[in-house]
Amino acid sequence: VLTNSVGGFENLIPDAAVDDGLLHCFIILDLSIFNTITASISLLLGTLKDHKDVVYFTAHNVSVSSPETVRTNVDGEEGPTLPITLSVLPRHIQVIVPEMD
């Protein structure tokens, strides 16, 4: 996650900022139905990083691999298969916006 907004929901990761230069990463350790429900509630409340079955960390680069063939999803589109490496490119895109009065 690169910002505090995911899927249109604001403040899912309150610590994230678009310019902090970090990937905000979550690993859900237990995907049982009960834990998926409680993790979803924590996600909506902005407290996912405090969930007992979630590992939260930030990084500039993350490599993800699997012994099985796993396809990624890039913004709703099919992406490459694992392994992949994700990196933050700070100030890589210049955005021009009008001045606010």
Side-chain angles (χ1 to χ4, degrees):
V1 178
L2 291 175
T3 69
N4 66 341
S5 174
V6 176
F9 293 100
E10 296 292 327
N11 294 319
L12 293 179
I13 302 94
D15 298 341
V18 71
D19 61 352
D20 66 8
L22 298 169
L23 293 165
H24 294 260
C25 306
F26 296 89
I27 300 172
I28 301 174
L29 302 173
D30 180 356
L31 289 175
S32 67
I33 291 173
F34 178 75
N35 278 347
T36 300
I37 291 169
T38 61
S40 297
I41 291 168
S42 294
L43 180 70
L44 293 173
L45 295 174
T47 59
L48 184 60
K49 72 178 188 175
D50 300 321
H51 191 280
K52 68 179 183 67
D53 290 309
V54 172
V55 174
Y56 167 77
F57 63 95
T58 60
H60 295 282
N61 302 294
V62 175
S63 294
V64 181
S65 63
S66 173
E68 299 177 24
T69 300
V70 177
R71 293 208 62 84
T72 61
N73 181 305
V74 179
D75 199 22
E77 300 294 327
E78 189 173 296
T81 57
L82 296 182
I84 61 169
T85 297
L86 305 170
S87 300
V88 174
L89 302 173
R91 304 183 190 281
H92 193 70
I93 299 173
Q94 182 177 9
V95 178
I96 301 171
V97 297
E99 286 188 32
M100 302 298 283
D101 291 330

